[in-house]
Amino acid sequence: ADRDFILAAALRSGQVLSRASEQLQADTEVVLAAVAQNGSALEYAAEELRSDREFVLRAVQRCGSALRAASSGLATNRSFVLEAVQRNSQALLYASEELKSDRLFVLEAVRRNGFALQHVAQQHGADLDIVLAAVMSNGHALQHAVSELRADREVVLAAVRTNGDAMADASERLKAERGFVLAAVRLNGEALAHVPSRSKGDREVVLAAV
C-alpha cells in the first residue's frame, strides 16, 4: 500500500514527506516517522498538525529542530517554547531571536532543562544565575558552563549536589583544594570517583563520602 511504502521511506529520509499525498501529510504516524529522521520535515506536514500544540511537542521530543517548522503562533509562544525546551533542550536553538535574547526566558528554560545551557547565547552562558539554575536542574550541565564558572565553588557544589559525577567537570584548581573536596563529597559521595588520587587516599575525605 502507498501508506506503508511512504512510512518505510520516511524512516530512511524525512524529506520523502514533501512528495507524499495531502492525506499522508496529515497522517500523524507518517509525519512523526519523518520528523524523527529529519526535524525540518515537519514543514511538509498539514497545517492542522503544525498548529497542533500536543502534536508539535511530540515532534520536538523526537527532534528539536522541528520547532522551526511549527506554525508561527506556536513558535513565538513563550509558554509553548518553554515546554518544548523541557522536552528537548535542542529546541532552544530554534526559538525566536527575541526569546533567546530574553534573560528571564533563558533562566526559566534552563530551570526546566539544565542541558539547554549548551544552546544559550554567549552572554547568558557567563551569567551566574543562569548557570546556577542549569546545574541545579541537572548537574551534568556543568560541562557546558564557561571555564570561570567551572572554577566557581558555589556553582560546582550546586552541580555536585544534583549529580556527583559533575565533579569531573570542576576546574583542576578546585579539585586540588582539600577543603573543597571535603565539602563536595559530604554533599554527594559519588563525587569521590572524580577527585585526585591524593584525595582518594585521604581517610577523612573517604569517610566523608560514605
Side-chain angles (χ1 to χ4, degrees), residues 120-154:
V120 304
Q122 188 174 0
Q123 72 268 27
H124 296 316
D127 184 310
L128 176 61
D129 292 335
I130 287 174
V131 174
L132 262 177
V135 300
M136 289 170 72
S137 167
N138 188 322
H140 284 304
L142 184 63
Q143 65 189 284
H144 303 298
V146 295
S147 58
E148 295 93 323
L149 293 180
R150 283 189 281 113
D152 183 285
R153 185 183 180 93
E154 181 185 11

Side-chain angles (χ1 to χ4, degrees), residues 22-36:
E22 289 185 7
Q23 181 181 3
L24 292 177
Q25 288 177 340
D27 184 309
T28 57
E29 186 182 4
V30 170
V31 174
L32 286 175
V35 168

Side-chain angles (χ1 to χ4, degrees), residues 189-209:
E190 292 179 1
L192 184 64
H194 305 286
V195 301
S197 55
R198 180 178 69 255
S199 294
K200 290 178 181 175
D202 184 319
R203 177 180 172 82
E204 186 180 359
V205 169
V206 174
L207 288 175

